[in-house]
Amino acid sequence: MPLEKLPVPEISLSTQDVGSVFQGKMNAAIEAVRTAIIAFNNQVDAALSASQQVDPAPQAEALAGTNNTYKMTPLRSMQQLQQFGLGGAAIDFADFTAASPNIGRLFRFTNTTVGKPSFINYGSVVAIPYDGTPSTFFLGSGVRSDSSRALFVGSKIGSTATPTWVEAWDKTKHPLQTAVTDIAGGFGSALLTPGSFGL
């Protein structure tokens, strides 16, 4: 919106002005200046808001995801997705026991990552937060030390807890009976058996 001209106060002082008359005119002048400054500031705020509707979002604003006035360009949209491991390479991650993996996203880990599955050298994981503690489920696949592949699940209860990992498949591509029993939880028996898969 175009800026509007500010009103010019119509106040003049006379040599005859004394006492309450002088004070009244000074108060009126000060109030007029104050009103003009407020009006000008409101126009500045409106102009800034309007410009944000046209200007591309700065990268920091796009990644924070809290501003609701800047426009998102294709680049900023991609950068916003990539911070969660989507639309590009997975995020390298160093410590499962930290609070940062509790965000829903895709990342990868190596043999030096703290709190990783002991039976996996490196792999990729999807993190799925499920409450406000926050506690988090993990689903991933990776490579063992003998270069065979594995599918696994994990969970951590609390923001900085060490995850518990369960290997879902053994090296002959059968579901581990102990694993599926653990996944079954309170059911007391395995939900899946090799026969469930025709094996």
Side-chain angles (χ1 to χ4, degrees), residues 16-186:
Q16 304 300 317
D17 294 335
V18 294
S20 61
V21 174
F22 178 80
Q23 183 178 0
K25 288 188 175 181
M26 289 302 297
N27 287 343
I30 292 171
E31 183 61 26
V33 171
R34 178 178 179 276
T35 300
I37 292 174
I38 291 173
F40 180 78
N41 287 344
N42 288 339
Q43 292 189 63
V44 170
D45 290 340
L48 288 174
S49 179
S51 71
Q52 289 179 354
Q53 297 287 353
V54 177
D55 294 340
Q59 184 173 358
E61 293 283 1
L63 297 183
T66 56
N67 182 282
N68 199 33
T69 55
Y70 283 113
K71 71 175 183 179
M72 290 288 284
T73 63
L75 173 61
R76 293 291 184 252
S77 298
M78 179 61 74
Q79 290 170 333
Q80 214 274 342
L81 291 172
Q82 287 175 338
Q83 71 175 330
F84 299 106
L86 304 173
I91 300 167
D92 290 320
F93 196 68
D95 188 355
F96 277 105
T97 66
S100 46
N102 304 330
I103 300 172
R105 60 181 175 176
L106 173 66
F107 54 89
R108 60 189 175 194
F109 63 92
T110 66
N111 202 34
T112 60
T113 300
V114 176
K116 73 172 184 66
S118 60
F119 48 86
I120 300 294
N121 271 13
Y122 59 90
S124 295
V125 172
V126 176
I128 310 169
Y130 67 92
D131 67 15
T133 307
S135 298
T136 307
F137 280 128
F138 301 101
L139 174 63
S141 61
V143 178
R144 302 181 183 90
S145 58
D146 64 359
S147 297
S148 61
R149 270 58 174 176
L151 176 69
F152 55 89
V153 294
S155 64
K156 59 184 295 189
I157 308 301
S159 176
T160 57
T162 299
T164 299
W165 300 101
V166 174
E167 188 173 12
W169 298 90
D170 65 19
K171 294 181 181 180
T172 59
K173 299 182 181 179
H174 288 175
L176 294 175
Q177 201 58 55
T178 55
V180 291
T181 300
D182 183 73
I183 294 170

